Amino acid sequence: QVQLVESGGGLVQAGGSLRLSCQASGRTFSGYAMGWFRQAAGEEREFVAGISQTGGKINYTTSVKGRFTISRDNAKNTVYLQMTSLKPEDTAVYYCAAKRSIVAVSRSSYTYWGQGTQVTVSS
């Protein structure tokens, strides 16, 4: 079992930055690939970024490339999402998720999920 707790969300103006954190507890964090997903009101949950167990493989969805950076610190059992140049369309609840094996974009392949943190970008 892995427990995930997100933090760092909030209200920010367009063009601003936020850093989300996801603290993991339970089984060995370094054994899991991690993903960030987001879900806007009335929309399906979508993949944002993923990182492999060692950080050697990283994926981003096209709309955040060049603006968001995913990273992890296995010593701290934490994965981060640094978000810059935020846009109103980035407004959503952001979730972190964990899975065994390789990084994936499909939400159904992730086993463990956090409760989410709200990010609101005002125009």
Side-chain angles (χ1 to χ4, degrees), residues 19-20 22 33-37 47-52 55-61 64 66-73 78-83 95-97 103 110:
R19 188 176 83 154
L20 305 183
C22 174
M34 300 298 295
W36 283 99
F37 289 75
F47 174 82
V48 176
I51 187 167
S52 64
K57 181 174 175 60
I58 289 176
N59 291 340
Y60 297 99
T61 192
V64 308
R67 300 189 299 121
F68 290 10
T69 303
I70 189 171
S71 61
R72 66 188 295 162
D73 186 338
T78 303
V79 62
Y80 304 97
L81 186 68
Q82 178 69 50
M83 305 186 294
Y95 300 88
C96 70
V103 177
Y110 286 79

PDB file of all heavy atoms in Angstrom, residues 19-20 22 33-37 47-52 55-61 64 66-73 78-83 95-97 103 110:
ATOM      1  N   ARG A  19       4.589  25.322  -7.235  1.00  0.00           N
ATOM      2  CA  ARG A  19       5.237  24.017  -7.162  1.00  0.00           C
ATOM      3  C   ARG A  19       4.373  23.086  -6.324  1.00  0.00           C
ATOM      4  O   ARG A  19       4.120  23.355  -5.145  1.00  0.00           O
ATOM      5  CB  ARG A  19       6.633  24.102  -6.557  1.00  0.00           C
ATOM      6  CG  ARG A  19       7.366  22.756  -6.667  1.00  0.00           C
ATOM      7  CD  ARG A  19       8.792  22.810  -6.174  1.00  0.00           C
ATOM      8  NE  ARG A  19       8.898  22.677  -4.739  1.00  0.00           N
ATOM      9  CZ  ARG A  19       9.975  22.207  -4.115  1.00  0.00           C
ATOM     10  NH1 ARG A  19      11.041  21.830  -4.816  1.00  0.00           N
ATOM     11  NH2 ARG A  19      10.005  22.148  -2.806  1.00  0.00           N
ATOM     12  N   LEU A  20       3.952  22.016  -6.948  1.00  0.00           N
ATOM     13  CA  LEU A  20       3.188  20.988  -6.251  1.00  0.00           C
ATOM     14  C   LEU A  20       4.140  19.929  -5.718  1.00  0.00           C
ATOM     15  O   LEU A  20       5.147  19.611  -6.343  1.00  0.00           O
ATOM     16  CB  LEU A  20       2.174  20.338  -7.193  1.00  0.00           C
ATOM     17  CG  LEU A  20       1.198  21.276  -7.901  1.00  0.00           C
ATOM     18  CD1 LEU A  20       0.220  20.458  -8.740  1.00  0.00           C
ATOM     19  CD2 LEU A  20       0.480  22.174  -6.933  1.00  0.00           C
ATOM     20  N   CYS A  22       4.140  15.966  -3.758  1.00  0.00           N
ATOM     21  CA  CYS A  22       3.383  14.757  -3.435  1.00  0.00           C
ATOM     22  C   CYS A  22       4.259  13.908  -2.529  1.00  0.00           C
ATOM     23  O   CYS A  22       5.283  13.381  -2.971  1.00  0.00           O
ATOM     24  CB  CYS A  22       3.003  14.010  -4.700  1.00  0.00           C
ATOM     25  SG  CYS A  22       2.215  12.406  -4.414  1.00  0.00           S
ATOM     26  N   ALA A  33       6.975   4.185 -10.466  1.00  0.00           N
ATOM     27  CA  ALA A  33       6.879   5.309 -11.379  1.00  0.00           C
ATOM     28  C   ALA A  33       5.769   6.215 -10.878  1.00  0.00           C
ATOM     29  O   ALA A  33       4.777   5.736 -10.306  1.00  0.00           O
ATOM     30  CB  ALA A  33       6.578   4.834 -12.791  1.00  0.00           C
ATOM     31  N   MET A  34       5.939   7.503 -11.090  1.00  0.00           N
ATOM     32  CA  MET A  34       4.980   8.479 -10.568  1.00  0.00           C
ATOM     33  C   MET A  34       4.405   9.327 -11.691  1.00  0.00           C
ATOM     34  O   MET A  34       5.102   9.641 -12.674  1.00  0.00           O
ATOM     35  CB  MET A  34       5.665   9.394  -9.551  1.00  0.00           C
ATOM     36  CG  MET A  34       6.251   8.678  -8.350  1.00  0.00           C
ATOM     37  SD  MET A  34       5.010   7.818  -7.372  1.00  0.00           S
ATOM     38  CE  MET A  34       4.029   9.212  -6.772  1.00  0.00           C
ATOM     39  N   GLY A  35       3.171   9.711 -11.523  1.00  0.00           N
ATOM     40  CA  GLY A  35       2.531  10.556 -12.522  1.00  0.00           C
ATOM     41  C   GLY A  35       1.763  11.686 -11.866  1.00  0.00           C
ATOM     42  O   GLY A  35       1.328  11.571 -10.712  1.00  0.00           O
ATOM     43  N   TRP A  36       1.640  12.777 -12.597  1.00  0.00           N
ATOM     44  CA  TRP A  36       0.733  13.865 -12.226  1.00  0.00           C
ATOM     45  C   TRP A  36      -0.400  13.897 -13.262  1.00  0.00           C
ATOM     46  O   TRP A  36      -0.140  13.860 -14.472  1.00  0.00           O
ATOM     47  CB  TRP A  36       1.453  15.213 -12.204  1.00  0.00           C
ATOM     48  CG  TRP A  36       2.305  15.445 -11.003  1.00  0.00           C
ATOM     49  CD1 TRP A  36       3.658  15.281 -10.912  1.00  0.00           C
ATOM     50  CD2 TRP A  36       1.875  15.891  -9.713  1.00  0.00           C
ATOM     51  NE1 TRP A  36       4.091  15.595  -9.641  1.00  0.00           N
ATOM     52  CE2 TRP A  36       3.024  15.976  -8.892  1.00  0.00           C
ATOM     53  CE3 TRP A  36       0.639  16.234  -9.163  1.00  0.00           C
ATOM     54  CZ2 TRP A  36       2.968  16.388  -7.553  1.00  0.00           C
ATOM     55  CZ3 TRP A  36       0.582  16.636  -7.840  1.00  0.00           C
ATOM     56  CH2 TRP A  36       1.735  16.711  -7.048  1.00  0.00           C
ATOM     57  N   PHE A  37      -1.604  13.983 -12.758  1.00  0.00           N
ATOM     58  CA  PHE A  37      -2.791  14.101 -13.589  1.00  0.00           C
ATOM     59  C   PHE A  37      -3.556  15.333 -13.135  1.00  0.00           C
ATOM     60  O   PHE A  37      -3.327  15.860 -12.040  1.00  0.00           O
ATOM     61  CB  PHE A  37      -3.680  12.862 -13.432  1.00  0.00           C
ATOM     62  CG  PHE A  37      -3.122  11.615 -14.047  1.00  0.00           C
ATOM     63  CD1 PHE A  37      -2.080  10.930 -13.452  1.00  0.00           C
ATOM     64  CD2 PHE A  37      -3.624  11.124 -15.242  1.00  0.00           C
ATOM     65  CE1 PHE A  37      -1.538   9.780 -14.029  1.00  0.00           C
ATOM     66  CE2 PHE A  37      -3.105   9.976 -15.821  1.00  0.00           C
ATOM     67  CZ  PHE A  37      -2.064   9.313 -15.212  1.00  0.00           C
ATOM     68  N   PHE A  47      -3.618  12.999 -18.155  1.00  0.00           N
ATOM     69  CA  PHE A  47      -2.198  12.894 -17.834  1.00  0.00           C
ATOM     70  C   PHE A  47      -1.517  14.241 -18.038  1.00  0.00           C
ATOM     71  O   PHE A  47      -1.751  14.924 -19.037  1.00  0.00           O
ATOM     72  CB  PHE A  47      -1.560  11.837 -18.732  1.00  0.00           C
ATOM     73  CG  PHE A  47      -0.078  11.726 -18.612  1.00  0.00           C
ATOM     74  CD1 PHE A  47       0.499  10.990 -17.589  1.00  0.00           C
ATOM     75  CD2 PHE A  47       0.751  12.336 -19.539  1.00  0.00           C
ATOM     76  CE1 PHE A  47       1.872  10.865 -17.486  1.00  0.00           C
ATOM     77  CE2 PHE A  47       2.124  12.218 -19.449  1.00  0.00           C
ATOM     78  CZ  PHE A  47       2.689  11.485 -18.428  1.00  0.00           C
ATOM     79  N   VAL A  48      -0.655  14.608 -17.102  1.00  0.00           N
ATOM     80  CA  VAL A  48       0.133  15.831 -17.216  1.00  0.00           C
ATOM     81  C   VAL A  48       1.616  15.513 -17.405  1.00  0.00           C
ATOM     82  O   VAL A  48       2.257  15.997 -18.332  1.00  0.00           O
ATOM     83  CB  VAL A  48      -0.061  16.729 -15.981  1.00  0.00           C
ATOM     84  CG1 VAL A  48       0.848  17.959 -16.062  1.00  0.00           C
ATOM     85  CG2 VAL A  48      -1.514  17.137 -15.829  1.00  0.00           C
ATOM     86  N   ALA A  49       2.154  14.699 -16.505  1.00  0.00           N
ATOM     87  CA  ALA A  49       3.581  14.382 -16.546  1.00  0.00           C
ATOM     88  C   ALA A  49       3.832  13.083 -15.798  1.00  0.00           C
ATOM     89  O   ALA A  49       3.081  12.723 -14.887  1.00  0.00           O
ATOM     90  CB  ALA A  49       4.406  15.505 -15.925  1.00  0.00           C
ATOM     91  N   GLY A  50       4.886  12.386 -16.202  1.00  0.00           N
ATOM     92  CA  GLY A  50       5.255  11.149 -15.533  1.00  0.00           C
ATOM     93  C   GLY A  50       6.759  11.032 -15.428  1.00  0.00           C
ATOM     94  O   GLY A  50       7.495  11.593 -16.250  1.00  0.00           O
ATOM     95  N   ILE A  51       7.215  10.306 -14.416  1.00  0.00           N
ATOM     96  CA  ILE A  51       8.643  10.145 -14.194  1.00  0.00           C
ATOM     97  C   ILE A  51       8.910   8.720 -13.737  1.00  0.00           C
ATOM     98  O   ILE A  51       8.169   8.150 -12.936  1.00  0.00           O
ATOM     99  CB  ILE A  51       9.146  11.185 -13.165  1.00  0.00           C
ATOM    100  CG1 ILE A  51      10.667  11.157 -13.038  1.00  0.00           C
ATOM    101  CG2 ILE A  51       8.487  10.995 -11.803  1.00  0.00           C
ATOM    102  CD1 ILE A  51      11.227  12.364 -12.280  1.00  0.00           C
ATOM    103  N   SER A  52       9.973   8.144 -14.272  1.00  0.00           N
ATOM    104  CA  SER A  52      10.324   6.774 -13.927  1.00  0.00           C
ATOM    105  C   SER A  52      10.934   6.697 -12.530  1.00  0.00           C
ATOM    106  O   SER A  52      11.176   7.712 -11.880  1.00  0.00           O
ATOM    107  CB  SER A  52      11.299   6.218 -14.959  1.00  0.00           C
ATOM    108  OG  SER A  52      12.513   6.949 -14.908  1.00  0.00           O
ATOM    109  N   GLY A  55      14.084   8.559 -12.363  1.00  0.00           N
ATOM    110  CA  GLY A  55      14.041   9.883 -12.969  1.00  0.00           C
ATOM    111  C   GLY A  55      14.657   9.935 -14.354  1.00  0.00           C
ATOM    112  O   GLY A  55      14.720  11.006 -14.960  1.00  0.00           O
ATOM    113  N   GLY A  56      15.077   8.791 -14.865  1.00  0.00           N
ATOM    114  CA  GLY A  56      15.738   8.779 -16.157  1.00  0.00           C
ATOM    115  C   GLY A  56      14.806   8.902 -17.345  1.00  0.00           C
ATOM    116  O   GLY A  56      15.242   9.244 -18.448  1.00  0.00           O
ATOM    117  N   LYS A  57      13.529   8.629 -17.131  1.00  0.00           N
ATOM    118  CA  LYS A  57      12.545   8.761 -18.213  1.00  0.00           C
ATOM    119  C   LYS A  57      11.417   9.660 -17.738  1.00  0.00           C
ATOM    120  O   LYS A  57      10.840   9.433 -16.679  1.00  0.00           O
ATOM    121  CB  LYS A  57      11.985   7.396 -18.607  1.00  0.00           C
ATOM    122  CG  LYS A  57      10.982   7.455 -19.747  1.00  0.00           C
ATOM    123  CD  LYS A  57      10.571   6.081 -20.204  1.00  0.00           C
ATOM    124  CE  LYS A  57       9.470   6.143 -21.260  1.00  0.00           C
ATOM    125  NZ  LYS A  57       9.927   6.889 -22.462  1.00  0.00           N
ATOM    126  N   ILE A  58      11.137  10.680 -18.529  1.00  0.00           N
ATOM    127  CA  ILE A  58      10.110  11.667 -18.189  1.00  0.00           C
ATOM    128  C   ILE A  58       9.230  11.908 -19.402  1.00  0.00           C
ATOM    129  O   ILE A  58       9.735  11.997 -20.530  1.00  0.00           O
ATOM    130  CB  ILE A  58      10.758  12.993 -17.723  1.00  0.00           C
ATOM    131  CG1 ILE A  58      11.407  12.806 -16.339  1.00  0.00           C
ATOM    132  CG2 ILE A  58       9.754  14.120 -17.695  1.00  0.00           C
ATOM    133  CD1 ILE A  58      12.156  14.027 -15.836  1.00  0.00           C
ATOM    134  N   ASN A  59       7.929  11.990 -19.159  1.00  0.00           N
ATOM    135  CA  ASN A  59       6.968  12.311 -20.212  1.00  0.00           C
ATOM    136  C   ASN A  59       6.141  13.514 -19.797  1.00  0.00           C
ATOM    137  O   ASN A  59       5.846  13.685 -18.608  1.00  0.00           O
ATOM    138  CB  ASN A  59       6.012  11.130 -20.441  1.00  0.00           C
ATOM    139  CG  ASN A  59       6.691   9.930 -21.052  1.00  0.00           C
ATOM    140  OD1 ASN A  59       7.746  10.032 -21.649  1.00  0.00           O
ATOM    141  ND2 ASN A  59       6.084   8.769 -20.893  1.00  0.00           N
ATOM    142  N   TYR A  60       5.735  14.297 -20.786  1.00  0.00           N
ATOM    143  CA  TYR A  60       4.825  15.408 -20.556  1.00  0.00           C
ATOM    144  C   TYR A  60       3.729  15.382 -21.610  1.00  0.00           C
ATOM    145  O   TYR A  60       3.970  15.001 -22.758  1.00  0.00           O
ATOM    146  CB  TYR A  60       5.529  16.765 -20.656  1.00  0.00           C
ATOM    147  CG  TYR A  60       6.597  17.013 -19.630  1.00  0.00           C
ATOM    148  CD1 TYR A  60       7.942  16.836 -19.943  1.00  0.00           C
ATOM    149  CD2 TYR A  60       6.262  17.425 -18.349  1.00  0.00           C
ATOM    150  CE1 TYR A  60       8.923  17.065 -19.000  1.00  0.00           C
ATOM    151  CE2 TYR A  60       7.241  17.663 -17.393  1.00  0.00           C
ATOM    152  CZ  TYR A  60       8.570  17.481 -17.732  1.00  0.00           C
ATOM    153  OH  TYR A  60       9.545  17.705 -16.790  1.00  0.00           O
ATOM    154  N   THR A  61       2.565  15.847 -21.233  1.00  0.00           N
ATOM    155  CA  THR A  61       1.566  16.081 -22.250  1.00  0.00           C
ATOM    156  C   THR A  61       1.959  17.346 -23.018  1.00  0.00           C
ATOM    157  O   THR A  61       2.644  18.237 -22.476  1.00  0.00           O
ATOM    158  CB  THR A  61       0.169  16.230 -21.636  1.00  0.00           C
ATOM    159  OG1 THR A  61      -0.816  16.178 -22.658  1.00  0.00           O
ATOM    160  CG2 THR A  61       0.017  17.533 -20.853  1.00  0.00           C
ATOM    161  N   VAL A  64       1.817  21.173 -21.745  1.00  0.00           N
ATOM    162  CA  VAL A  64       2.620  21.694 -20.633  1.00  0.00           C
ATOM    163  C   VAL A  64       4.117  21.648 -20.916  1.00  0.00           C
ATOM    164  O   VAL A  64       4.910  22.129 -20.094  1.00  0.00           O
ATOM    165  CB  VAL A  64       2.312  20.950 -19.316  1.00  0.00           C
ATOM    166  CG1 VAL A  64       0.818  20.928 -19.038  1.00  0.00           C
ATOM    167  CG2 VAL A  64       2.890  19.550 -19.313  1.00  0.00           C
ATOM    168  N   GLY A  66       7.704  22.524 -21.739  1.00  0.00           N
ATOM    169  CA  GLY A  66       8.394  23.805 -21.686  1.00  0.00           C
ATOM    170  C   GLY A  66       7.924  24.703 -20.557  1.00  0.00           C
ATOM    171  O   GLY A  66       8.552  25.730 -20.276  1.00  0.00           O
ATOM    172  N   ARG A  67       6.817  24.337 -19.904  1.00  0.00           N
ATOM    173  CA  ARG A  67       6.289  25.147 -18.797  1.00  0.00           C
ATOM    174  C   ARG A  67       6.325  24.386 -17.471  1.00  0.00           C
ATOM    175  O   ARG A  67       6.535  24.998 -16.423  1.00  0.00           O
ATOM    176  CB  ARG A  67       4.852  25.571 -19.100  1.00  0.00           C
ATOM    177  CG  ARG A  67       4.686  26.407 -20.345  1.00  0.00           C
ATOM    178  CD  ARG A  67       3.280  26.976 -20.451  1.00  0.00           C
ATOM    179  NE  ARG A  67       2.250  25.943 -20.534  1.00  0.00           N
ATOM    180  CZ  ARG A  67       1.243  25.821 -19.661  1.00  0.00           C
ATOM    181  NH1 ARG A  67       1.114  26.667 -18.654  1.00  0.00           N
ATOM    182  NH2 ARG A  67       0.342  24.861 -19.816  1.00  0.00           N
ATOM    183  N   PHE A  68       6.100  23.104 -17.510  1.00  0.00           N
ATOM    184  CA  PHE A  68       6.058  22.290 -16.293  1.00  0.00           C
ATOM    185  C   PHE A  68       7.290  21.388 -16.234  1.00  0.00           C
ATOM    186  O   PHE A  68       7.779  20.917 -17.273  1.00  0.00           O
ATOM    187  CB  PHE A  68       4.817  21.402 -16.271  1.00  0.00           C
ATOM    188  CG  PHE A  68       3.506  22.122 -16.085  1.00  0.00           C
ATOM    189  CD1 PHE A  68       3.406  23.509 -16.146  1.00  0.00           C
ATOM    190  CD2 PHE A  68       2.348  21.396 -15.837  1.00  0.00           C
ATOM    191  CE1 PHE A  68       2.196  24.153 -15.976  1.00  0.00           C
ATOM    192  CE2 PHE A  68       1.126  22.029 -15.665  1.00  0.00           C
ATOM    193  CZ  PHE A  68       1.062  23.413 -15.736  1.00  0.00           C
ATOM    194  N   THR A  69       7.741  21.125 -15.019  1.00  0.00           N
ATOM    195  CA  THR A  69       8.858  20.216 -14.815  1.00  0.00           C
ATOM    196  C   THR A  69       8.533  19.251 -13.687  1.00  0.00           C
ATOM    197  O   THR A  69       8.223  19.680 -12.573  1.00  0.00           O
ATOM    198  CB  THR A  69      10.141  20.982 -14.459  1.00  0.00           C
ATOM    199  OG1 THR A  69      10.444  21.934 -15.500  1.00  0.00           O
ATOM    200  CG2 THR A  69      11.321  20.019 -14.310  1.00  0.00           C
ATOM    201  N   ILE A  70       8.617  17.968 -13.993  1.00  0.00           N
ATOM    202  CA  ILE A  70       8.420  16.945 -12.966  1.00  0.00           C
ATOM    203  C   ILE A  70       9.780  16.482 -12.472  1.00  0.00           C
ATOM    204  O   ILE A  70      10.735  16.380 -13.248  1.00  0.00           O
ATOM    205  CB  ILE A  70       7.593  15.756 -13.504  1.00  0.00           C
ATOM    206  CG1 ILE A  70       7.215  14.803 -12.375  1.00  0.00           C
ATOM    207  CG2 ILE A  70       8.315  15.038 -14.638  1.00  0.00           C
ATOM    208  CD1 ILE A  70       6.219  13.721 -12.806  1.00  0.00           C
ATOM    209  N   SER A  71       9.863  16.228 -11.188  1.00  0.00           N
ATOM    210  CA  SER A  71      11.107  15.720 -10.612  1.00  0.00           C
ATOM    211  C   SER A  71      10.758  14.904  -9.374  1.00  0.00           C
ATOM    212  O   SER A  71       9.617  14.930  -8.905  1.00  0.00           O
ATOM    213  CB  SER A  71      12.065  16.864 -10.244  1.00  0.00           C
ATOM    214  OG  SER A  71      11.470  17.712  -9.263  1.00  0.00           O
ATOM    215  N   ARG A  72      11.730  14.178  -8.879  1.00  0.00           N
ATOM    216  CA  ARG A  72      11.486  13.381  -7.683  1.00  0.00           C
ATOM    217  C   ARG A  72      12.733  13.350  -6.824  1.00  0.00           C
ATOM    218  O   ARG A  72      13.857  13.465  -7.335  1.00  0.00           O
ATOM    219  CB  ARG A  72      11.042  11.964  -8.047  1.00  0.00           C
ATOM    220  CG  ARG A  72      12.076  11.115  -8.741  1.00  0.00           C
ATOM    221  CD  ARG A  72      11.453   9.797  -9.240  1.00  0.00           C
ATOM    222  NE  ARG A  72      10.997   8.957  -8.144  1.00  0.00           N
ATOM    223  CZ  ARG A  72      10.135   7.954  -8.311  1.00  0.00           C
ATOM    224  NH1 ARG A  72       9.619   7.701  -9.517  1.00  0.00           N
ATOM    225  NH2 ARG A  72       9.770   7.220  -7.273  1.00  0.00           N
ATOM    226  N   ASP A  73      12.521  13.166  -5.554  1.00  0.00           N
ATOM    227  CA  ASP A  73      13.597  13.001  -4.587  1.00  0.00           C
ATOM    228  C   ASP A  73      13.296  11.721  -3.820  1.00  0.00           C
ATOM    229  O   ASP A  73      12.460  11.728  -2.903  1.00  0.00           O
ATOM    230  CB  ASP A  73      13.666  14.207  -3.655  1.00  0.00           C
ATOM    231  CG  ASP A  73      14.856  14.170  -2.699  1.00  0.00           C
ATOM    232  OD1 ASP A  73      15.375  13.067  -2.451  1.00  0.00           O
ATOM    233  OD2 ASP A  73      15.236  15.225  -2.196  1.00  0.00           O
ATOM    234  N   THR A  78       9.302  11.977  -2.270  1.00  0.00           N
ATOM    235  CA  THR A  78       8.499  13.078  -2.779  1.00  0.00           C
ATOM    236  C   THR A  78       8.686  13.254  -4.285  1.00  0.00           C
ATOM    237  O   THR A  78       9.816  13.141  -4.779  1.00  0.00           O
ATOM    238  CB  THR A  78       8.857  14.387  -2.055  1.00  0.00           C
ATOM    239  OG1 THR A  78       8.681  14.219  -0.641  1.00  0.00           O
ATOM    240  CG2 THR A  78       7.966  15.526  -2.518  1.00  0.00           C
ATOM    241  N   VAL A  79       7.592  13.536  -4.950  1.00  0.00           N
ATOM    242  CA  VAL A  79       7.627  13.917  -6.355  1.00  0.00           C
ATOM    243  C   VAL A  79       7.069  15.334  -6.465  1.00  0.00           C
ATOM    244  O   VAL A  79       6.175  15.712  -5.709  1.00  0.00           O
ATOM    245  CB  VAL A  79       6.844  12.921  -7.239  1.00  0.00           C
ATOM    246  CG1 VAL A  79       5.367  12.882  -6.867  1.00  0.00           C
ATOM    247  CG2 VAL A  79       7.011  13.242  -8.713  1.00  0.00           C
ATOM    248  N   TYR A  80       7.639  16.105  -7.374  1.00  0.00           N
ATOM    249  CA  TYR A  80       7.288  17.517  -7.512  1.00  0.00           C
ATOM    250  C   TYR A  80       6.770  17.803  -8.919  1.00  0.00           C
ATOM    251  O   TYR A  80       7.103  17.108  -9.887  1.00  0.00           O
ATOM    252  CB  TYR A  80       8.515  18.393  -7.259  1.00  0.00           C
ATOM    253  CG  TYR A  80       9.182  18.169  -5.931  1.00  0.00           C
ATOM    254  CD1 TYR A  80      10.294  17.328  -5.826  1.00  0.00           C
ATOM    255  CD2 TYR A  80       8.714  18.790  -4.782  1.00  0.00           C
ATOM    256  CE1 TYR A  80      10.915  17.117  -4.609  1.00  0.00           C
ATOM    257  CE2 TYR A  80       9.330  18.583  -3.559  1.00  0.00           C
ATOM    258  CZ  TYR A  80      10.429  17.748  -3.476  1.00  0.00           C
ATOM    259  OH  TYR A  80      11.034  17.539  -2.257  1.00  0.00           O
ATOM    260  N   LEU A  81       5.995  18.860  -9.010  1.00  0.00           N
ATOM    261  CA  LEU A  81       5.599  19.391 -10.308  1.00  0.00           C
ATOM    262  C   LEU A  81       5.772  20.903 -10.238  1.00  0.00           C
ATOM    263  O   LEU A  81       4.989  21.591  -9.575  1.00  0.00           O
ATOM    264  CB  LEU A  81       4.161  19.030 -10.667  1.00  0.00           C
ATOM    265  CG  LEU A  81       3.738  19.433 -12.071  1.00  0.00           C
ATOM    266  CD1 LEU A  81       4.488  18.593 -13.121  1.00  0.00           C
ATOM    267  CD2 LEU A  81       2.242  19.264 -12.270  1.00  0.00           C
ATOM    268  N   GLN A  82       6.823  21.386 -10.876  1.00  0.00           N
ATOM    269  CA  GLN A  82       7.060  22.824 -10.950  1.00  0.00           C
ATOM    270  C   GLN A  82       6.300  23.358 -12.147  1.00  0.00           C
ATOM    271  O   GLN A  82       6.523  22.904 -13.272  1.00  0.00           O
ATOM    272  CB  GLN A  82       8.552  23.110 -11.097  1.00  0.00           C
ATOM    273  CG  GLN A  82       8.888  24.577 -11.234  1.00  0.00           C
ATOM    274  CD  GLN A  82       8.628  25.356  -9.956  1.00  0.00           C
ATOM    275  OE1 GLN A  82       9.057  24.977  -8.869  1.00  0.00           O
ATOM    276  NE2 GLN A  82       7.929  26.478 -10.082  1.00  0.00           N
ATOM    277  N   MET A  83       5.417  24.303 -11.901  1.00  0.00           N
ATOM    278  CA  MET A  83       4.563  24.841 -12.961  1.00  0.00           C
ATOM    279  C   MET A  83       4.873  26.319 -13.132  1.00  0.00           C
ATOM    280  O   MET A  83       4.796  27.090 -12.163  1.00  0.00           O
ATOM    281  CB  MET A  83       3.091  24.648 -12.602  1.00  0.00           C
ATOM    282  CG  MET A  83       2.731  23.203 -12.288  1.00  0.00           C
ATOM    283  SD  MET A  83       0.970  22.938 -12.028  1.00  0.00           S
ATOM    284  CE  MET A  83       0.720  23.889 -10.529  1.00  0.00           C
ATOM    285  N   TYR A  95      -3.659  15.691  -9.284  1.00  0.00           N
ATOM    286  CA  TYR A  95      -3.488  14.459  -8.531  1.00  0.00           C
ATOM    287  C   TYR A  95      -2.131  13.837  -8.836  1.00  0.00           C
ATOM    288  O   TYR A  95      -1.691  13.862  -9.986  1.00  0.00           O
ATOM    289  CB  TYR A  95      -4.548  13.425  -8.918  1.00  0.00           C
ATOM    290  CG  TYR A  95      -5.965  13.846  -8.680  1.00  0.00           C
ATOM    291  CD1 TYR A  95      -6.679  14.535  -9.641  1.00  0.00           C
ATOM    292  CD2 TYR A  95      -6.611  13.510  -7.490  1.00  0.00           C
ATOM    293  CE1 TYR A  95      -7.997  14.906  -9.430  1.00  0.00           C
ATOM    294  CE2 TYR A  95      -7.935  13.873  -7.271  1.00  0.00           C
ATOM    295  CZ  TYR A  95      -8.608  14.568  -8.247  1.00  0.00           C
ATOM    296  OH  TYR A  95      -9.918  14.926  -8.024  1.00  0.00           O
ATOM    297  N   CYS A  96      -1.517  13.266  -7.835  1.00  0.00           N
ATOM    298  CA  CYS A  96      -0.356  12.427  -8.115  1.00  0.00           C
ATOM    299  C   CYS A  96      -0.779  10.966  -7.997  1.00  0.00           C
ATOM    300  O   CYS A  96      -1.758  10.636  -7.308  1.00  0.00           O
ATOM    301  CB  CYS A  96       0.830  12.737  -7.211  1.00  0.00           C
ATOM    302  SG  CYS A  96       0.651  12.263  -5.501  1.00  0.00           S
ATOM    303  N   ALA A  97      -0.049  10.120  -8.684  1.00  0.00           N
ATOM    304  CA  ALA A  97      -0.392   8.711  -8.744  1.00  0.00           C
ATOM    305  C   ALA A  97       0.880   7.882  -8.850  1.00  0.00           C
ATOM    306  O   ALA A  97       1.910   8.377  -9.332  1.00  0.00           O
ATOM    307  CB  ALA A  97      -1.297   8.434  -9.935  1.00  0.00           C
ATOM    308  N   VAL A 103       6.705   4.081 -16.744  1.00  0.00           N
ATOM    309  CA  VAL A 103       5.871   5.269 -16.779  1.00  0.00           C
ATOM    310  C   VAL A 103       4.794   5.080 -17.844  1.00  0.00           C
ATOM    311  O   VAL A 103       5.053   4.522 -18.913  1.00  0.00           O
ATOM    312  CB  VAL A 103       6.712   6.519 -17.106  1.00  0.00           C
ATOM    313  CG1 VAL A 103       5.822   7.748 -17.224  1.00  0.00           C
ATOM    314  CG2 VAL A 103       7.772   6.725 -16.051  1.00  0.00           C
ATOM    315  N   TYR A 110      -2.416   3.271 -13.228  1.00  0.00           N
ATOM    316  CA  TYR A 110      -1.888   3.701 -11.945  1.00  0.00           C
ATOM    317  C   TYR A 110      -2.698   3.083 -10.811  1.00  0.00           C
ATOM    318  O   TYR A 110      -3.926   3.054 -10.856  1.00  0.00           O
ATOM    319  CB  TYR A 110      -1.870   5.221 -11.844  1.00  0.00           C
ATOM    320  CG  TYR A 110      -0.768   5.828 -12.675  1.00  0.00           C
ATOM    321  CD1 TYR A 110      -0.915   5.980 -14.053  1.00  0.00           C
ATOM    322  CD2 TYR A 110       0.426   6.229 -12.095  1.00  0.00           C
ATOM    323  CE1 TYR A 110       0.106   6.508 -14.826  1.00  0.00           C
ATOM    324  CE2 TYR A 110       1.450   6.771 -12.860  1.00  0.00           C
ATOM    325  CZ  TYR A 110       1.286   6.902 -14.226  1.00  0.00           C
ATOM    326  OH  TYR A 110       2.307   7.429 -14.983  1.00  0.00           O
TER     327      TYR A 110
END
